[in-house]
Amino acid sequence: MNIDFWGVRGSIPTPLSSQQVRTKLIAALQRIKPEDIQSDAAKESFVKSLPWWISGTVGGNTPCVELTLSNGEKIVFDAGSGMRVMGKFSEPPADKHYHLFMSHFHWDHIQGLPFFDSIYNPNIVIEVYSPFPKMKDYLKSQMVAPFYPVDFSAVEKHFVFHHIVPGQFIKIGDALVSCTKMSHPGDSYSYAVIEGGKKFVYATDVELGTKDFVSGEERGSVFEGADIMLIDSQYTVEEALRKANWGHSAFCYAIDFAVAWKIKKMYMFHHEPTYDDRKLNTILESARWYANYISDESLEIDIAREGFGLTL
């Protein structure tokens, strides 16, 4: 399966500020040498040599992750503002069907849907899956006057809604999808996709606690031995303690969780909106040190960045 990150920021869309752009330019200029500007090729090589937090960004769009299965079918997790970007740069599935799995219905996870071009395409069908039985009402509620100029009734015929339950396996192509409930205000659900013997886990908006480390059939079917896990790592420990019951986790708690469930590679996700790229890179370095310290380098750590993809 191919995995593309279209939105990785938490809570609210966060575009780069002018000050953050200036900080990146200053950091780049501090590294430049005369030979780096002698030719176009030298300039290109210099830019490529810069750390990602200078030459790029994790992005500011809220959660939306796209999986393309081996048969071309597409699974999408959440409909944050990244979904608008997905609609601009990702090819629709050949069968004209999207399978949209919703973790929950807080604003940052639904606000991209009205701006997703495909919902206005009469040939596209969007199948929505969620353990929340009122999912249709929740999506409709943001597409009504005075909040949005197009009423949901104008696109409703393109949607099919499926109420699912934890422990259930949904077959899409050759893949199986399952979910489990996590701790978050109003609840949130984590998902696993298994295809061709590989497992991907989408675990946004989770506040990890003792019970999440206890082995059980439902939890194990989602997390155990996953090849890649995308997980809420929004806070430092200090912030997690200050913001107890806000529904998010410190990056080191997420690493403890990944080690406990024998995850092979973990991507930090749902980034704090007040963190700039330099701060996030510092957290990534700390996370890698901590993971190596407790797991003897058996767990890989990376950070989810908008516009990037990988193959599993």
Side-chain angles (χ1 to χ4, degrees), residues 207 235 239-248:
E207 185 165 6
Y235 296 144
E239 284 178 316
L241 293 173
R242 276 196 295 111
K243 298 179 179 180
N245 302 316
W246 284 37
H248 303 286

Side-chain angles (χ1 to χ4, degrees), residues 63-65 77-78 103 109 189-192 200-204 230 269:
C64 182
V65 175
F77 291 107
D78 284 337
S103 65
H109 293 259
Y189 291 82
S190 294
Y191 291 93
F200 170 79
V201 171
Y202 178 80
T204 189
L230 197 65
F269 185 70

Side-chain angles (χ1 to χ4, degrees), residues 104-241:
H104 64 309
F105 291 86
H106 284 169
W107 222 348
D108 53 324
H109 293 259
I110 67 172
Q111 61 195 176
L113 187 66
F115 301 93
F116 180 45
D117 293 344
S118 287
I119 70 170
Y120 304 100
N121 183 336
N123 299 315
I124 295 288
V125 174
I126 300 177
E127 303 203 40
V128 184
Y129 303 79
S130 170
F132 292 87
K134 294 184 178 180
M135 66 188 101
K136 181 178 178 180
D137 294 337
Y138 298 153
L139 294 180
K140 285 175 62 175
S141 65
Q142 69 170 340
M143 292 182 67
V144 295
F147 308 116
Y148 194 72
V150 180
D151 193 88
F152 187 77
S153 61
V155 298
E156 186 173 348
K157 62 184 178 182
H158 305 152
F159 285 80
V160 180
F161 293 90
H162 304 275
H163 180 236
I164 61 176
V165 296
Q168 176 185 1
F169 285 89
I170 299 98
K171 186 172 175 59
I172 298 175
D174 293 326
L176 292 175
V177 184
S178 60
C179 71
T180 187
K181 186 165 72 173
M182 308 299 289
S183 294
H184 189 72
D187 295 334
S188 180
Y189 291 82
S190 294
Y191 291 93
V193 180
I194 301 173
E195 185 190 40
K198 298 292 186 179
K199 182 191 286 190
F200 170 79
V201 171
Y202 178 80
T204 189
D205 292 65
V206 300
E207 185 165 6
L208 296 169
T210 304
K211 67 181 183 303
D212 296 304
F213 293 78
V214 178
S215 181
E217 184 176 349
E218 182 186 303
R219 278 280 198 276
S221 69
V222 171
F223 294 110
E224 184 76 49
D227 296 278
I228 291 176
M229 178 174 67
L230 197 65
I231 188 167
D232 183 335
S233 312
Q234 184 161 339
Y235 296 144
T236 62
V237 173
E238 183 270 334
E239 284 178 316
L241 293 173

Side-chain angles (χ1 to χ4, degrees), residues 208 213 229 231 233 250-261 266 268 283-284 286-292 294-295 299 301:
L208 296 169
F213 293 78
M229 178 174 67
I231 188 167
S233 312
F251 69 87
C252 58
Y253 299 166
I255 291 169
D256 291 338
F257 180 78
V259 170
W261 285 105
M266 183 190 110
M268 299 162 64
I283 290 174
L284 173 60
S286 298
R288 284 173 170 165
W289 177 89
Y290 182 68
N292 290 341
I294 68 167
S295 67
L299 172 66
I301 302 287

